[in-house]
């Protein structure tokens, strides 16, 4: 059964953050708040954890289109091919914020994602998840806990999320009520921005 941990965004407790990081390092799955909907994630370097998420979502790991949550843009060069100035300016304007940017992947992607030409990058405007990723020392892979066509109350209320997910994950973080609108997804892998999904993030950044 999962642990239910309360973490306050204004001042995340280092002890609680350390506990979550320990679980992630051991291949655990964590549900956490972002600046949009609650997300489900694991350490991107842990194959078994990635496989567990794929099973839960009912997809093959090789076909998964998950995003990487980074603390800031300094992680970019680890997984993304060199981008031009115009693309970087868009990222600077938008992040941290409720956006997922699809960018050209490089050869350093974890082996499970080697065949992918692109990678989705998220830098949420949420202190809890950013502090977690920073303490872990590398991005976490992230997917939404809700279905695209399934907008339900349980996806916003941490206690209801816990009731639904307690036997599937290792930790559910209560970071307060979440939203029900996903991130805006923008594909920048071909140079010209292409809107894949309009979500919470405004298109004014383009």
């Amino acid at each position: 059964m999962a642990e239910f941990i309360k973490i306050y965004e204004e001042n995340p407790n280092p002890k609680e953050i350390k506990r979550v990081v320990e679980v992630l390092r051991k291949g655990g799955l964590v549900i956490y708040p972002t600046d949009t909907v609650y997300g489900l994630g694991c350490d991107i370097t842990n194959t078994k954890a990635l496989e567990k998420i794929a099973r839960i979502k009912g997809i093959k790991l090789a076909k998964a289109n998950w995003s990487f949550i980074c603390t800031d843009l300094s992680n970019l060069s680890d997984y993304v091919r060199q981008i031009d100035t115009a693309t970087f300016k868009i990222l600077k304007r938008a992040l941290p914020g409720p956006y997922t940017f699809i960018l050209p992947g490089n050869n350093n992607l974890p082996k499970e994602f080697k065949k992918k030409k692109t990678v989705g990058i998220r830098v949420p405007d949420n202190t809890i998840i950013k502090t977690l990723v920073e303490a872990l020392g590398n991005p976490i892979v992230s997917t939404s806990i809700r279905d695209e066509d399934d907008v339900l109350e349980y996806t916003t209320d941490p206690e209801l999320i816990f009731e639904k997910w307690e036997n599937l994950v290792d930790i559910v973080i209560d970071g307060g009520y979440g939203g029900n609108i996903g991130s805006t997804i923008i594909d920048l892998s071909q140079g010209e921005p292409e809107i894949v999904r309009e979500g919470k993030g405004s298109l004014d950044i383009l």
Side-chain angles (χ1 to χ4, degrees), residues 165-180:
W165 288 83
E166 61 183 322
N167 296 317
L168 293 170
V169 301
D170 299 277
I171 288 179
V172 174
I173 296 172
D174 174 0
Y177 271 82
N180 234 336

Side-chain angles (χ1 to χ4, degrees), residues 64-177:
N65 286 318
W66 300 329
S67 48
F68 292 2
I69 291 193
C70 304
T71 48
D72 54 37
L73 293 176
S74 63
N75 290 117
L76 269 192
S77 57
D78 294 345
Y79 305 105
V80 173
R81 281 210 312 271
Q82 198 163 1
I83 53 176
D84 60 32
T85 310
T87 301
F88 189 73
K89 279 183 176 166
I90 291 172
L91 298 178
K92 279 292 266 187
R93 274 198 296 275
L95 301 173
Y99 298 88
T100 301
F101 287 104
I102 298 170
L103 296 162
N106 66 18
N107 296 329
N108 298 330
L109 287 172
K111 63 180 184 297
E112 294 77 20
F113 302 100
K114 281 283 188 213
K115 289 182 181 165
K116 294 206 164 293
K117 293 193 167 74
T118 59
V119 60
I121 297 289
R122 271 278 269 135
V123 183
D125 190 9
N126 179 287
T127 314
I128 297 169
I129 185 60
K130 285 204 294 180
T131 307
L132 261 182
V133 173
E134 198 166 1
L136 180 64
N138 56 257
I140 69 172
V141 77
S142 177
T143 178
S144 163
I145 63 164
R146 72 180 179 86
D147 297 319
E148 286 307 312
D149 55 354
D150 196 12
V151 179
L152 299 171
E153 190 192 353
Y154 84 76
T155 61
T156 64
D157 181 334
E159 288 186 12
L160 295 179
I161 292 169
F162 180 70
E163 275 176 35
K164 182 174 168 63
W165 288 83
E166 61 183 322
N167 296 317
L168 293 170
V169 301
D170 299 277
I171 288 179
V172 174
I173 296 172
D174 174 0
Y177 271 82

Side-chain angles (χ1 to χ4, degrees), residues 5-7 12-21 132 171:
I5 297 179
K6 176 80 183 169
I7 299 181
N13 183 322
K15 206 156 102 183
E16 306 290 19
I17 293 289
K18 189 177 175 207
R19 171 74 197 121
V20 179
V21 166
L132 261 182
I171 288 179

Side-chain angles (χ1 to χ4, degrees), residues 19-37:
R19 171 74 197 121
V20 179
V21 166
E22 280 169 4
V23 167
L24 285 167
R25 286 205 175 117
K26 287 179 185 160
L29 308 189
V30 174
I31 288 176
Y32 48 84
T34 71
D35 50 359
T36 57
V37 298

